[in-house]
Amino acid sequence: MSGAWSTSPSRRSWWPIEVRSPSGYSGPARSWASAPWRSTRSRTRARCTGRKQMKPTSLAAASPRCRPICISQTSSRWPRKTMWTQCTLATGSCQSERTLPKPAKMPGSGSSGRAQRWSARWEIRWRPGPSPSLQELEENYTRAYSEALAAFGNGALFVEKFIEKPRHIEVQILGDQYGNILHLYERDCSIQRRHQKVVEIAPAAHLDPQLRTRLTGDSVKLAKQVGYENAGTVEFLVDKHGKHYFIEVNSRLQVEHTVTEEITDVDLVHAQIHVAEGRSLPDLGLRQENIRINGCAIQCRVTTEDPSRSFQPDTGRIEVFRSGEGMGIRLDNASAFQGAVISPHYDSLLVKVIAHGKDHPTAATKMSRALAEFRVRGVKTNIPFLQNVLNNQQFLAGTVDTQFIDENPELFQLRPAQNRAQKLLHYLGHVMVNGPTTPIPVKANPSPTDPIVPGVPIGPPPAGFRDILLREGPEGFARAVRNHQGLLLMDTTFRDAHQSLLATRVRTHDLKKIAPYVAHNFSKLFSIENWGGATFDVAMRFLYECPWRRLQELRELIPNIPFQMLLRGANAVGYTNYPDNVVFKFCEVAKENGMDVFRVFDSLNYLPNLLLGMEAAGSAGGVVEAAISYTGDVADPTRTKYSLQYYMDLAEELVRAGTHILCIKDMAGLLKPLACTMLVNSLRDRFPDLPLHIHTHDTSGAGVAAMLASAQAGADVVDVASDSMSGMTSQPSMGALVACTRGTPLDTGVPLERVFDYSEYWEGARGLYAAFDCTATMKSGNSDVYENEIPGGQYTNLHFQAHSMGLGSKFKEVKKAYVEANQMLGDLIKVTPSSKIVGDLAQFMVQNGLSRAEAEAQAEELSFPRSVVEFLQGYIGIPHGGFPEPFRSKVLKDLPRVEGRPGASLPPMDLQALEKELTERHGEEVTPEDVLSAAIYPDVFAHFKDFTATFGPLDSLNTRLFLQGPKIAEEFEVELERGKTLHIKALAVSDLNRAGQRQVFFELNGQLRCILVKDTQAMKEMHFHPKALKDVKGQIGAPMPGKVIDIKVEAGAKVAKGQPLCVLSAMKMETVVTSPMEGTVRKVHVTKDMTLEGDDLILEIE
């Protein structure tokens, strides 16, 4: 029974809070009288302390020292005799018997020898609280009695003793038609969840032999008393003092009968069939003296329930079913097989697993091993929970009671199943049906051949500059760089080169292949740039990789060369400002994961943002490389805004702030040789002991010349990329710099022949990313960069964006508009995110056919991209020379403005609360790295986690399979880890079914696997979105193709002119669609996350 008043000496009081009936009704105690319960066929129940006929009386007459224990209602139909239960109220030493109102006459007895009944029972649950008065008790009693009497014509109630933390012990009995009754010993069913048995054990561990004798003896006596026939179970509760209390008789063969069969070697199913045929137990060779206990047996019920969600039943199709077997393991299957559909309308039991051993620990070990061998995919199961139970020390000691699960919350600390093979098949099937999961700018197939990986010698790589850094710290490292004879190189191939040429799409899989070669052959490099910038969010957003994992794995493979990252000042690796504690924590964790040099820049050279990033990197223990973003032309006296003096003054501030290294970051490749000479000479004269690092892009083709001029003027380090990943919008060629300086005082010490092998690998690897290669739309660099000043990384992306938006033929106009947009915004320093702002405005102008003059004239009415509006509000800082007026005032109107450093006004982020939130959402261990990813990119990280929970581990797939999937009949291998390799063959893809799905068939390690995949294109073709009619006033269409990420209004809302209606996003560009008129929203035609084409109808205003 659930519920009671305590009878302990502490006199703790309990109060009823909920009533339950077998029909499923559950509600507060005050609603007993209206409970919609009914009679249900249930198990045989015999609660009796005698058979005395009950007489009506009032509970108010009970002794004031008597306290009620528990109330339940039942009606029963018993064979041969009608038995009534008297009510006993007891506390401590006081006992007082009071009878309850007489029930109606019970139905007649059933057929001889068959214990049957109809039962309906109230259960009253209690919580601690003030003792109820007798009047309240009587009122509650009267309600229960009245309801039972009205429903059944029988108001009989039971009052039962509350037993604290009992064991649930049941005895298996077997009877025949001739009065023979025997027992087959007991089972311990104490491990229960919500009074439902989970694990059963036979015999009960550490059960006193005398108690066992009493339990089995009482069970046989009870069965003989009623003339019991066939198999049944007599259930008891045993308290901590060894006293047993009868609960009920179940007049059937129970689910857990298997453990009894295992220890007694008696086939109960076989026996009850023969008893039903009229045979006697002796005829079957069953005599009590022959029944012996042999070892121990444990049964676990494997169900399709999710323990992490309060054992919520899970439904679906079983994609994989493999059971654990072996000596001592018995399986009783239900609906467990591959392809079975688990319906919500049936029991969740899949299979009963029974382990038999010589003793309890042995049986538990066998069970644990068997459960570990199970593989059930497609639906969730309770196996992880059962494994925790089996490994629990209290369980292994055999000292469990009915509160075992409630008192061991660690049982719910579930280890998630990896399910790697099935997740991979799901991904491959999805790609085969729906195409690549990452957006493809152009239609080009990956190279069919894998790149050639050059060999490396056995043993650790030679010492490099990182050894100096680890030994002498950032200051000693900076001194070593400045004192180095010759020119040092930073290799950007692992980040900026592929960000500029391949849309940042190079995967960790391909970086890891070449990493050992770099470690062994390029130990003289100053650093490898392999992290930060756009690689952080692209890894999660498009490659479905953890960027932190990339850093960790590369650090293991390249221990000797410093790693360098690009830090966007107060923006960390994001596109907006974050609370200061997030930036500091990010740098700290990055350093812990292997980052060494932090190149800190700000897109506007806004000093407060720069200083925050420098402080964060320095406090983390990293090498601080403060970067001045370069634009204009210091050699052109007519370009006065960004003059040589401007750069010298800014450098002075950064050196005063304590930078270890000073960098000139030329994002667009605007540095000409003469400008390099002037700028570097001036910096070297002003700061003779400070290492100088020069970065450029080769868009114009003059990159090598510019870097040689910088080196000759006194630069210590210049940036290069592998030959096959250099040129155009990337960095200058590594081979060219190595060859041009060989034998000179600037000799790099890098072996040229090793550069050739390195380039050969990347030439092959680049072919895998043909769909992202800038050469698909660009055939060469362009010197017009000196005019439009588009950064190298953005040049490629802008070109792809223009093609994706149908502006490919108008890219020249886009570049011209970029110049005009830059001037409209006040001639900005252009690097992420300021370059994105200029690019968004340029594309907006081309898309809408606006010149600079027209855009400025209509600024009050136009819906400018969100990035432009937020820049003018001051969300990324204050540009050199201030904001453009009156353009700013026209666009912003009454919108708020940010003064000073944007992040300074942000309160600290509660990272511990975020970690807790992530743990609750994703249900697994959350790392500090995960917390920071979510803090900087909350939506991207959430999608990444959801995606990888369904698909993966994708890093084990080669790039061609990742992007394109396998061809039919193609066979391939996937190495999950060392020693675990999957052999996969793609077999077929079925036709579309009515649910819009296709079956994809694979052969995995020789076994057939079938995956159901929703055909997203077919689903899309079933729906046609209406277009906005330009001649119908009030129809608002999408100004650009994109995805709806936010809807600001709903049908019936009043809107004003200029009020935001929704937000669209395409290729990282967000646009707020505003209302061109006042009115009322008549209908909204879009939903969040819907993908729209240009002019698709968003909503109607009247």
Side-chain angles (χ1 to χ4, degrees), residues 743-908:
T744 73
L746 298 176
D747 196 322
T748 63
V750 176
L752 190 59
E753 60 276 11
R754 298 291 182 264
V755 176
F756 300 155
D757 293 338
Y758 187 43
S759 178
E760 183 181 11
Y761 171 82
W762 280 109
E763 184 175 4
R766 186 169 175 174
L768 298 173
Y769 300 92
F772 308 99
D773 202 316
C774 67
T775 57
T777 54
M778 294 172 55
K779 301 306 176 186
S780 67
N782 201 322
S783 59
D784 68 0
V785 69
Y786 292 125
E787 177 182 339
N788 55 55
E789 300 180 350
I790 302 175
Q794 187 189 25
Y795 198 101
T796 305
N797 291 336
L798 201 61
H799 208 199
F800 281 138
Q801 286 180 16
H803 278 267
S804 67
M805 298 175 69
L807 302 176
S809 60
K810 297 183 178 181
F811 188 58
K812 183 177 180 180
E813 296 178 35
V814 172
K815 291 190 287 186
K816 182 180 178 181
Y818 192 95
V819 176
E820 293 185 337
N822 179 47
Q823 295 304 317
M824 285 173 63
L825 296 173
D827 188 12
L828 301 180
I829 292 172
K830 293 166 287 296
V831 61
T832 305
S834 61
S835 58
K836 178 181 181 298
I837 295 166
V838 179
D840 288 352
L841 180 55
Q843 290 188 85
F844 174 81
M845 292 166 64
V846 175
Q847 181 81 11
N848 293 279
L850 297 170
S851 65
R852 175 184 176 183
E854 291 170 333
E856 290 177 333
Q858 302 173 37
E860 292 180 294
E861 301 175 2
L862 294 171
S863 298
F864 286 99
R866 174 185 285 184
S867 60
V868 175
V869 176
E870 292 183 348
F871 159 71
L872 294 173
Q873 288 179 275
Y875 280 118
I876 68 168
I878 301 174
H880 176 57
F883 292 100
E885 290 290 358
F887 180 68
R888 184 194 193 199
S889 297
K890 288 182 178 181
V891 173
L892 296 185
K893 296 183 273 294
D894 296 328
L895 290 175
R897 293 161 170 76
V898 177
E899 302 297 336
R901 182 170 69 84
S905 60
L906 296 176

Side-chain angles (χ1 to χ4, degrees), residues 399-444:
T399 58
V400 298
D401 54 51
T402 55
Q403 299 300 306
F404 170 73
I405 292 179
D406 295 332
E407 294 178 350
N408 288 274
E410 68 275 8
L411 298 176
F412 293 90
Q413 296 174 3
L414 308 174
R415 180 182 178 183
Q418 291 182 294
N419 197 12
R420 293 177 294 182
Q422 199 69 4
K423 286 182 178 181
L424 278 176
L425 294 185
H426 270 281
Y427 177 80
L428 294 171
H430 181 81
V431 174
M432 292 172 69
V433 172
N434 297 307
T437 56
T438 184
I440 301 293
V442 295
K443 292 183 178 180

Side-chain angles (χ1 to χ4, degrees), residues 264-317:
T264 62
D265 199 27
V266 174
D267 188 334
L268 290 171
V269 176
H270 177 273
Q272 73 171 3
I273 291 174
H274 285 299
V275 166
E277 293 174 342
R279 299 181 65 181
S280 69
L281 296 181
D283 289 343
L284 300 176
L286 296 176
R287 289 181 169 80
Q288 190 65 66
E289 60 270 19
N290 296 332
I291 307 297
R292 295 287 184 270
I293 295 176
N294 177 25
C296 175
I298 301 173
Q299 173 179 280
C300 289
R301 308 184 189 194
V302 176
T303 62
T304 57
E305 296 176 330
D306 186 356
S308 64
R309 302 179 64 185
S310 299
F311 291 90
Q312 178 178 323
D314 194 24
T315 60
R317 179 174 173 271

Side-chain angles (χ1 to χ4, degrees), residues 56 58 101 120 125 179 233 279 313 340 416 521 528 589 623 742 817 845 852 866 961-962 1076 1080 1083 1094:
S58 169
R125 300 178 64 196
T233 306
R279 299 181 65 181
N521 295 282
I528 297 172
V589 176
V623 177
R742 176 182 279 184
M845 292 166 64
R852 175 184 176 183
R866 174 185 285 184
L961 289 172
F962 171 78
T1080 302
K1083 185 177 181 180

Side-chain angles (χ1 to χ4, degrees), residues 1071-1087:
T1071 297
V1072 179
V1073 180
T1074 60
S1075 176
M1077 57 184 286
E1078 291 184 2
T1080 302
V1081 178
R1082 189 175 76 84
K1083 185 177 181 180
V1084 178
H1085 291 268
V1086 298
T1087 58

